Amino acid sequence: MVRRWSKAEMWVPGAYLALVVAMLVYVAVGSRTGDIGLFGAWPILATAPVSLVLMVPFGPAPDALDSAPPLDPHPQYGSEPPAKLPTDYPSESDPLPADWVPDTSVDPKLDMLDGFGFYAPVLVGALVNAAAIWALLRCVAQRRDTRRAQA
């Protein structure tokens, strides 16, 4: 008899991928409409196991951790002298600080490859994590079936 996949093997990796994609959609929509704060870190943290493994080759060399940083031959102490205060009044045509509003307009051209540098590594990491989750659940299910068959 051929063993069918368990529900956990099918749904857990799929739910993980759906969660990562939902976070990426939220980041894409939030970045086009306004400030989303630090929410862009959540998709990266969701793929952290793969991200940490991929960061190993790009980390510092082992001998760089033991060496001291180079010393600056001309150190500067203290702060810069204060800037000269303005002596004339601003003209009436200059905008007042309260009138300044940041430009939050959105570029109407939505480029497909605009966020490729952020979305592609997160999606690749999520796919690798989902495959690892599936393999782990498959291994657990096979061991459970082997124990059940031996008993």
Side-chain angles (χ1 to χ4, degrees), residues 112-144:
M112 193 69 167
L113 299 175
D114 191 24
F116 184 72
F118 175 71
Y119 300 113
V122 170
L123 285 175
V124 168
L127 286 173
V128 172
N129 280 348
I133 291 169
W134 177 82
L136 179 68
L137 291 175
R138 185 81 177 143
C139 179
V140 168
Q142 284 178 349
R143 285 189 182 187
R144 184 180 56 211

Side-chain angles (χ1 to χ4, degrees), residues 38-113:
L38 289 174
F39 194 82
W42 286 108
I44 296 169
L45 291 175
T47 59
V50 173
S51 302
L52 294 176
V53 169
L54 293 178
M55 280 187 349
V56 170
F58 302 109
D63 59 346
L65 297 175
D66 296 332
S67 63
L71 296 175
D72 187 11
H74 305 290
Q76 295 181 353
Y77 299 104
S79 62
E80 297 286 325
K84 198 169 204 177
L85 295 174
T87 56
D88 55 339
Y89 292 103
S91 68
E92 292 185 15
S93 63
D94 289 344
L96 296 174
D99 296 337
W100 183 81
V101 176
D103 182 21
T104 57
S105 63
V106 177
D107 186 14
K109 182 187 81 163
L110 297 176
D111 191 10
M112 193 69 167
L113 299 175

